[in-house]
């Protein structure tokens, strides 16, 4: 199945800029048969990537056999489901793997705790995806051929079927999956996720209650491995995409229920959220690796999960790597360490690092390979429209101004996006982004995108028209009728270089039209909590919009409490229309109709400046050369982040090249 085919997949921009930077050295280094003009991959069917099947026999990482012999673990066949997920050899770029070794990540975040169902994050950069498994999966879809591009890949939900009018979908769970402590995974875990987390407004779930299939969606348990969602109106496969990544990923109900206020009158929602603290390891998970040691600000060590429910075609239980590291450092360091060879993987997303990292990666002795994927990252300035939750009168007045279309259009016109791009990195890396779908999205449509060209006099006229004059002559415009100066606090994650630099550029450009921004720098955890809680005045952040079904609450009015920047449900005029288009998109099974609805959404979001886009950049994925099966062409961000798209459970390193484990011969013990 895997063939070295060349497909020109829209990365001409990225490769052109890459060759411009490193042209002379690069020309010498590239083997003649390797073309930089395209990616090398073949689009395949979903079941060509993985399927479900009972194999004749199974084997395991050799050290686990000793645990079995000592009576500490059941035999591998008894730890696996009746029909495990079988990763297909034909889709592996380097084939079936060898066990052992370490896969080393470096991340900028810090684990808040392990209770992801209550909204806690684990520090991002792929750590959450190493421990969580979700009902469906999106990452590997970048490889799926067009004829099968309908909805997500299965995962814990092995199959599903719709009723005739598409108001009900019945989902079948894999049978016999076990948690990392050996407890059975079944429909009770799904019910607990849905009823006691997603539907419970006191729990800060990452899937807001009515964002999945609209208000009124219910779930009914049918038997131990079957459940049914009933929707208030017809839905399509699209809506199921919301059951992937951090949203549809059940936690261990057998651990969490006794800490949840619905089952324990001594528990509070605060104590529930904190009931899987980051310093209590090992955590109970379904993922390929188990958080086993957490050294704050230093390292998280994860060990292979002996109950993991996936195998390769030879019957070897996955994952191949025994250990996974997450060095707790900075995002910039992630790229630096990947380039240096002390980290194995980096989504290179700060254009400030591009030139140096790409130059170094072209050296024949470089430990790392850099690949630009066909998709882009985008940044935006979000203004909070929720007047009711504003903390004081000044903020109420300010948010009232944010709700004025002319104000947002003015701010958009005031920005010189090319200069913002140059502030992040000199060179042809960043290009303007207005709002809505980034250009890398299959739903992006240039003709439906309304672009506010750089024109500060137009911006000034619009602001004057709103009565926002500089009434006290200090260079800053005032709220109407001689109110206070317009000074907007903008939350930014200090450590994310590309974000902070953009905010500096945006602030100096807006100052030129009399609007002052004041940077409020924070750490990633604080920013995350404020972003999802909608507790900020304004925020500058990298939030790529690729699909209208991914982390919907970040970008769309997907339910009453969404988007995060307008949580109170007091819709802007056009927002109701956007909500209707969004819901119609989710309900449609007709690709042409969906494409049109996406165009409508793009027009509404850009014309009304739902948020103020700044720039977008192509990003490269850095992978250490020791790593096998990191499929060429894996995008940094397409249907999901690269850590999911690359399918880490099937990555491996030949024994002779493996990095030594810190905890060899061990598994998490409970
Ligand atoms: C962070 C990183 C991204 C990616 C995601 C995965 O946001 O900046 O590159 O690793 O985490 O969730």
């Amino acid at each position: 199945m895997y063939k070295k085919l060349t497909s020109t997949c829209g990365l001409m921009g990225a490769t052109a800029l890459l060759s411009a930077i490193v042209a002379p050295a690069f020309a010498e280094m590239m083997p003649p048969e390797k073309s930089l003009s395209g990616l090398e991959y073949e689009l395949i069917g979903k079941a060509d990537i993985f399927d479900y099947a009972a194999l004749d026999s199974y084997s395991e990482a050799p050290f686990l056999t000793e645990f079995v012999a000592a009576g500490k673990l059941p035999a591998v066949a008894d730890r696996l489901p009746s029909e495990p997920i079988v990763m297909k050899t034909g889709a592996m770029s380097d084939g079936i793997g060898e066990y052992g070794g370490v896969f080393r990540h470096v991340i900028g975040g810090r684990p808040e705790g392990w209770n992801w169902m209550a909204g806690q994050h684990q520090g991002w950069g792929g750590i959450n995806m190493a421990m969580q498994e979700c009902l469906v999966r999106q990452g590997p879809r970048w490889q799926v051929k067009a004829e099968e591009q309908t909805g997500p890949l299965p995962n814990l939900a092995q199959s599903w079927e719709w009723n005739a009018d598409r108001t009900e979908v019945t989902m079948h769970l894999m049978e016999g999956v076990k948690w990392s402590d050996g407890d059975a995974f079944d429909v009770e875990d799904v019910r607990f996720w849905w009823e006691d987390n997603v539907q419970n407004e006191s729990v800060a779930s990452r899937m807001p209650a009515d964002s999945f299939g609209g208000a009124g969606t219910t779930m009914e348990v049918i038997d131990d491995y079957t459940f049914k969602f009933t929707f208030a109106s017809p839905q399509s496969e699209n809506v199921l995409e919301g059951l992937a990544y951090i949203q549809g990923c059940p936690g261990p109900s057998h651990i969490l229920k006794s800490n949840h206020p619905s089952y324990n009158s001594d528990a509070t929602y605060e104590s529930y959220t904190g009931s899987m603290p980051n310093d209590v390891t090992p955590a109970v998970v379904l993922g390929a690796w188990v958080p086993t040691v957490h050294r704050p600000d230093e390292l998280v060590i994860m060990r292979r999960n002996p109950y993991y429910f996936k195998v390769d075609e030879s019957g070897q239980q996955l994952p191949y790597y025994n250990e996974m590291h997450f060095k707790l450092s900075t995002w910039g360091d992630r790229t630096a360490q990947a380039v240096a060879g002390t980290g194995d993987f980096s989504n290179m997303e700060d254009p400030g690092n591009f030139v140096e990292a790409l130059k170094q990666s072209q050296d024949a002795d470089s430990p790392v390979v850099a690949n630009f994927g066909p998709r882009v990252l985008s940044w935006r300035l979000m203004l909070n429209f929720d007047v009711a939750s504003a903390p004081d009168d000044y903020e109420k007045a300010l948010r009232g101004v944010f709700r004025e279309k002319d104000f947002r259009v003015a701010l958009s016109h005031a920005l010189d996006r090319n200069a913002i791009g140059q502030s992040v990195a000199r060179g042809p890396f960043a290009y303007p982004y207005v709002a809505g779908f980034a250009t890398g999205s299959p739903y992006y449509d240039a003709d439906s995108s309304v672009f506010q060209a750089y024109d500060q006099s137009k911006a000034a006229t619009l602001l004057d028209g709103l009565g926002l004059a500089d009434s006290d002559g200090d260079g800053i415009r005032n709220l109407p009728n001689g109110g206070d100066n317009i000074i907007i606090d903008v939350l930014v994650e200090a450590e994310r270089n590309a974000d902070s630099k953009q905010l500096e550029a945006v602030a100096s450009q807006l100052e030129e039209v009399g609007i002052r921004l004041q940077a409020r720098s924070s750490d990633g955890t604080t920013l995350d909590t404020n972003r999802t809680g909608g507790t900020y005045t304004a925020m500058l952040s990298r939030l790529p919009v690729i699909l209208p079904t991914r982390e919907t609450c970040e970008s769309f009015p997907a339910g009453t409490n969404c988007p995060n920047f307008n949580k109170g449900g007091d819709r802007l005029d056009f927002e109701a229309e956007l909500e209707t288009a969004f819901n119609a998109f989710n309900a449609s099974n007709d690709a042409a109709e969906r494409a049109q609805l996406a165009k409508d959404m793009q027009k509404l979001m850009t014309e009304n400046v739902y948020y103020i886009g700044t720039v977008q950049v192509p990003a490269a994925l850095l992978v250490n050369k020791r790593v096998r099966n990191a499929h060429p062409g894996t995008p940094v961000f397409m249907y999901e982040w690269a850590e999911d798209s690359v399918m880490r459970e099937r990555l491996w390193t030949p024994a002779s090249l493996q990095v030594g484990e810190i905890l060899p011969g061990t598994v998490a013990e409970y």
Side-chain angles (χ1 to χ4, degrees):
M1 184 61 59
Y2 174 78
K3 286 190 205 126
K4 294 236 165 193
L5 290 189
T6 297
S7 113
T8 44
C9 220
L11 86 167
M12 299 303 289
T15 49
L17 71 86
L18 168 59
S19 27
I21 305 159
V22 289
F26 207 72
E28 286 158 31
M29 242 141 251
M30 287 304 294
E33 75 276 13
K34 272 212 162 184
S35 159
L36 257 185
S37 64
L39 297 174
E40 298 169 14
Y41 62 86
E42 185 184 13
L43 298 174
I44 55 181
K46 286 178 178 168
D48 296 326
I49 303 176
F50 63 80
D51 213 345
Y52 299 78
L55 302 184
D56 291 341
S57 65
Y58 299 102
S59 57
E60 63 200 339
F63 82 90
L64 289 184
T65 310
E66 293 164 30
F67 282 81
V68 176
K72 288 183 166 176
L73 278 179
V76 61
D78 298 330
R79 302 197 305 268
L80 286 166
S82 45
E83 289 188 346
I85 284 185
V86 183
M87 292 286 169
K88 298 292 182 70
T89 316
M92 294 178 174
S93 52
D94 300 297
I96 285 189
E98 292 174 36
Y99 280 122
V102 182
F103 191 71
R104 301 162 304 167
H105 287 276
V106 177
I107 60 175
R110 298 291 181 269
E112 213 181 354
W114 313 118
N115 192 0
W116 64 88
M117 279 202 302
Q120 285 192 319
H121 70 78
Q122 288 73 55
W124 307 113
I127 180 167
N128 51 313
M129 290 177 255
M131 53 189 281
Q132 295 169 22
E133 289 286 336
C134 313
L135 293 169
V136 300
R137 190 170 192 181
Q138 284 282 82
R141 262 181 84 182
W142 67 274
Q143 237 189 308
V144 173
K145 60 187 174 191
E147 302 87 302
E148 292 193 28
Q149 280 295 0
T150 46
L153 293 159
N155 194 47
L156 290 168
Q158 180 167 349
S159 61
W160 51 85
E161 67 268 340
W162 292 86
N163 67 347
D165 69 359
R166 304 197 327 267
T167 52
E168 292 176 6
V169 63
T170 303
M171 304 193 93
H172 306 279
L173 292 172
M174 294 180 74
E175 296 193 14
V177 169
K178 294 189 172 65
W179 292 93
S180 54
D181 62 354
D183 196 83
F185 165 78
D186 60 22
V187 80
E188 177 56 10
D189 294 303
V190 180
R191 188 207 60 77
F192 178 67
W193 156 78
W194 175 260
E195 276 177 24
D196 296 307
N197 291 275
V198 174
Q199 292 293 303
N200 187 326
E201 292 203 344
S202 305
V203 178
S205 156
R206 286 187 189 267
M207 180 188 247
D210 53 5
S211 72
F212 178 63
T217 305
T218 58
M219 192 203 116
E220 185 191 331
V221 168
I222 299 197
D223 64 32
D224 278 358
Y225 297 104
T226 318
F227 62 95
K228 183 169 82 179
F229 286 117
T230 302
F231 304 101
S233 57
Q235 300 296 322
S236 76
E237 285 287 296
N238 305 306
V239 78
L240 303 182
E241 293 172 358
L243 299 176
Y245 183 65
I246 63 173
Q247 297 200 142
C249 322
S253 66
H254 64 292
I255 305 287
L256 286 167
K257 261 158 82 173
S258 59
N259 296 307
H260 190 290
S262 300
Y263 305 86
N264 175 351
S265 53
D266 293 334
T268 63
Y269 283 102
E270 207 183 333
S271 70
Y272 169 65
T273 301
S275 64
M276 286 173 81
N278 61 18
D279 55 354
V280 176
T281 49
V284 175
V285 301
L286 286 175
W289 294 273
V290 181
T292 303
V293 171
H294 172 217
R295 297 187 202 137
D297 286 326
E298 194 193 330
L299 182 68
V300 173
I301 306 174
M302 295 174 90
R303 290 291 295 172
R304 66 176 315 117
N305 172 0
Y307 291 92
Y308 195 54
F309 56 96
K310 305 186 187 180
V311 299
D312 66 23
E313 279 187 304
S314 75
Q316 294 190 98
Q317 186 188 29
L318 297 174
Y320 293 122
Y321 288 116
N322 285 336
E323 201 166 282
M324 192 172 253
H325 294 173
F326 286 88
K327 285 183 209 162
L328 306 177
S329 178
T330 65
W331 295 113
D333 192 37
R334 173 169 71 167
T335 292
Q337 294 216 29
V339 170
T342 48
D344 290 322
F345 196 83
S346 179
N347 298 335
M348 197 167 56
E349 54 195 357
D350 175 6
N353 292 332
F354 279 14
V355 175
E356 196 48 37
L358 288 173
K359 263 192 204 154
Q360 290 191 28
S361 71
Q362 300 316 317
D363 189 310
D365 295 332
S366 163
V368 77
V369 180
N371 266 317
F372 270 102
R375 295 297 179 250
V376 295
L377 303 174
S378 54
W379 279 257
R380 58 164 100 151
L381 173 67
M382 294 178 286
L383 304 175
N384 198 329
F385 302 137
D386 186 16
V387 174
S389 71
D392 53 41
D393 288 346
Y394 172 74
E395 181 86 15
K396 279 195 199 321
L398 202 55
R399 293 189 189 184
V401 171
F402 295 167
R403 293 176 70 92
E404 299 283 348
K405 175 179 172 182
D406 280 356
F407 183 77
R408 303 190 301 275
V409 171
L411 262 50
S412 187
H413 274 300
L415 296 186
D416 178 354
R417 291 173 168 87
N418 288 319
I420 297 170
Q422 293 305 308
S423 78
V424 180
R426 296 239 172 269
F429 298 106
Y431 54 101
Y433 168 63
V434 263
F437 301 110
T439 54
S441 166
Y443 294 108
Y444 171 74
D445 176 52
D447 292 340
S448 308
S449 306
V450 180
F451 183 58
Q452 293 81 30
Y454 178 46
D455 185 344
Q456 292 203 333
S457 67
K458 196 163 184 178
T461 308
L462 285 166
L463 294 170
D464 290 347
L466 289 166
L468 305 174
D470 174 15
S471 50
D472 51 10
D474 64 357
I476 309 293
R477 289 175 188 270
N478 295 71
L479 286 168
N481 309 316
D484 290 329
N485 276 342
I486 299 184
I487 301 177
I488 307 172
D489 283 349
V490 185
L491 204 60
V492 68
E493 189 175 338
E495 203 271 294
R496 294 213 186 241
N497 210 23
D499 302 27
S500 307
K501 281 192 177 157
Q502 286 188 51
L503 181 53
E504 275 172 36
V506 168
S508 76
Q509 291 171 7
L510 292 186
E511 185 98 13
E512 288 164 15
V513 296
I515 303 290
R516 175 162 294 169
L517 302 188
Q518 197 157 266
R520 294 275 176 222
S521 295
S522 82
D523 60 85
T525 297
T526 308
L527 182 112
D528 192 67
T529 309
N530 284 294
R531 192 186 72 237
T532 51
T535 41
Y536 59 85
T537 308
M539 176 179 290
L540 193 143
S541 186
R542 184 218 60 211
L543 280 171
V545 186
I546 296 290
L547 295 182
T549 45
R550 185 187 177 277
E551 291 195 271
T552 49
C553 202
E554 302 287 12
S555 306
F556 296 93
T560 330
N561 295 320
C562 297
N564 288 329
F565 49 89
N566 195 13
K567 274 192 157 323
D570 181 8
R571 297 276 184 241
L572 304 176
D573 290 345
F574 74 95
E575 219 179 1
E577 245 183 284
L578 182 62
E579 187 176 12
T580 306
F582 172 82
N583 288 335
F585 180 98
N586 278 333
S588 172
N589 265 322
D590 175 335
E593 185 186 13
R594 279 206 306 269
Q596 183 55 51
L597 286 162
K599 287 179 188 174
D600 298 346
M601 287 192 261
Q602 180 74 354
K603 178 118 194 293
L604 286 165
M605 289 188 285
T606 55
E607 189 171 58
N608 294 288
V609 192
Y610 202 23
Y611 41 82
I612 303 150
T614 55
V615 296
Q616 46 194 331
V617 300
L621 182 62
L622 302 177
V623 186
N624 193 289
K625 288 177 181 166
R626 294 179 309 109
V627 177
R628 301 290 184 266
N629 278 353
H631 204 300
T634 306
V636 164
F637 182 86
M638 191 170 169
Y639 290 94
E640 198 36 79
W641 286 105
E643 292 91 343
D644 187 33
S645 314
V646 81
M647 308 178 83
R648 289 171 299 176
E649 64 269 37
R650 57 172 210 188
L651 298 180
W652 58 280
T653 293
S656 60
L657 301 176
Q658 285 172 7
V659 169
E661 298 163 39
I662 297 182
L663 302 172
T666 64
V667 287
E669 292 193 57
Y670 297 92

